[in-house]
Amino acid sequence: MCAEHTTARSLYPAPHGNGPDVSVERFEQVFEQVKTWGTYENPSAGAWQTATPTGVIAAASLVRSGRVVTTALPWNTTSGPSNANPALHYMTDLGVREAPEPSCNKDFIGVDYHGKAVSHLDALSHIAYKGSLYEGKVSKDVVTATGADFGSVSALGSLVASAVLLDFTVLFDVPWLEPGTAIHAEDILAAEERLGITISQGDAVLIRTGHFRRARELGMWDSSDLSAGLHIDCMPLLAERGIVLLGGDGDSDVRPSPTPGIHSPIHILAITAMGLPLLDNLDLEELGTACAQEDRYRFMFVVAPLNIPRGTGSPVNPLAVF
């Protein structure tokens, strides 16, 4: 795509609709195009393991102002349109006893985190396509009632990497992208030019659509079937760039899906084909403000999931450091 076209593209208002439609046959061609099976020494960790000590040093070199931005949503214990299974938080002990000292206040938390209300990491055991996980592992053989024997979040460990924020509200000069708006590969190229960044090998890539600004101003909606996000045509570009992590303020997928019968094509292409962990439901509003104020959209990014043996993911509080 030529520079002249990307500049012109960025002057247009945000597109509406999730087209063009992608047939199942074309989707499977893209799956084969981006598939990385047989690539990694540890398939359970997939692309995450390509974050190297050299990459950590490079990420640390991005720290200049010392500003730290959290990207996690508050723990959500209130039922709502996108929170059918609210997180739990209750007190288990109150420090009202007398001697011996000290008295203790204690509490309990619990969460069904795969959904729309909790900021979380999807490990490679989370998504199967046609019954298979990444690397062709048969899901029913390696994931049982006691957890995952392949692709567990505990296989990932922590991540420190360079990251870029693709802020599409800046690209299109809108407060948010309306639910159902598809982001295309040409939009990613235009965002790189507009924001002065280039997605590089080893990067974490974050997608801001303004999801939570819209929710706070207009009210939450059920984003399970209506959300702004990536179109399938973005994935060959991201695969070519060699990224280690993809995340967004939705769950990266545009909905309604452009492919009939496939509800979450980006999840399939990222996790099952590419071995690429996903971050879902990040609150990127403060990060968008920080990037604008710091005048840069590249920063150090830290993700430390809970060490859950056999877990399919984890709640997380990823940190951007400037």
Side-chain angles (χ1 to χ4, degrees):
M1 184 175 181
C2 68
E4 179 182 356
H5 185 38
T6 58
T7 301
R9 180 71 174 84
S10 68
L11 298 177
Y12 296 152
H16 294 274
N18 67 343
D21 289 344
V22 177
S23 67
V24 173
E25 291 74 19
R26 175 56 186 154
F27 172 79
E28 293 188 344
Q29 289 173 358
V30 175
F31 186 99
E32 293 299 320
Q33 180 182 354
V34 303
K35 189 167 73 172
T36 61
W37 296 6
T39 298
Y40 301 116
E41 181 179 353
N42 178 11
S44 278
W48 185 284
Q49 68 196 278
T50 62
T52 63
T54 300
V56 174
I57 294 170
S61 71
L62 297 171
V63 178
R64 299 165 197 162
S65 69
R67 184 174 188 169
V68 179
V69 179
T70 181
T71 62
L73 292 169
W75 197 251
N76 192 340
T77 61
T78 303
S79 180
S82 278
N83 194 16
N85 298 301
L88 301 176
H89 177 224
Y90 58 82
M91 301 304 296
T92 58
D93 199 0
L94 297 175
V96 294
R97 301 177 184 174
E98 298 186 3
E101 297 289 358
S103 58
C104 295
N105 298 307
K106 303 176 185 177
D107 54 354
F108 168 90
I109 59 172
V111 65
D112 183 1
Y113 60 87
H114 285 301
K116 308 301 179 185
V118 179
S119 301
H120 67 269
L121 175 70
D122 291 341
L124 301 192
S125 54
H126 176 50
I127 295 292
Y129 179 55
K130 294 185 174 180
S132 293
L133 303 173
Y134 181 66
E135 199 75 0
K137 299 290 184 180
V138 177
S139 181
K140 66 181 180 61
D141 292 343
V142 295
V143 183
T144 66
T146 58
D149 291 322
F150 171 84
S152 168
V153 69
S154 60
L156 298 178
S158 298
L159 178 78
V160 178
S162 300
V164 296
L165 176 67
L166 297 180
D167 194 334
F168 290 99
T169 72
V170 173
L171 176 65
F172 296 117
D173 192 23
V174 293
W176 56 75
L177 274 62
E178 285 295 332
T181 300
I183 296 165
H184 295 276
E186 64 181 28
D187 300 319
I188 291 178
L189 296 173
E192 287 183 307
E193 180 178 333
R194 172 68 177 83
L195 303 174
I197 52 177
T198 300
I199 300 169
S200 302
Q201 185 170 356
D203 279 347
V205 174
L206 305 180
I207 306 295
R208 179 174 176 238
T209 68
H211 181 107
F212 288 105
R213 178 175 175 181
R214 186 185 192 278
R216 286 160 189 153
E217 293 190 19
L218 301 183
M220 186 57 76
W221 71 100
D222 185 356
S223 57
S224 298
D225 296 308
L226 189 63
S227 61
L230 300 181
H231 189 271
I232 291 164
D233 64 23
C234 292
M235 298 311 287
L237 173 61
L238 295 177
E240 179 184 306
R241 299 296 180 88
I243 67 175
V244 300
L245 177 67
L246 176 64
D249 54 7
D251 67 359
S252 296
D253 268 285
V254 65
R255 293 194 177 87
S257 166
T259 299
I262 297 179
H263 183 258
S264 303
I266 300 303
H267 273 63
I268 295 171
L269 294 175
I271 295 175
T272 314
M274 297 168 60
L276 185 69
L278 294 183
L279 286 172
D280 292 348
N281 312 320
L282 300 181
D283 187 344
L284 300 179
E285 295 309 298
E286 184 182 350
L287 181 58
T289 298
C291 285
Q293 292 175 346
E294 297 279 336
D295 195 26
R296 58 190 174 107
Y297 287 79
R298 178 176 288 278
F299 42 86
M300 184 171 82
F301 197 55
V302 182
V303 186
L306 299 175
N307 186 359
I308 307 173
R310 312 189 81 203
T312 64
S314 170
V316 285
N317 179 18
L319 302 176
V321 187
F322 290 86

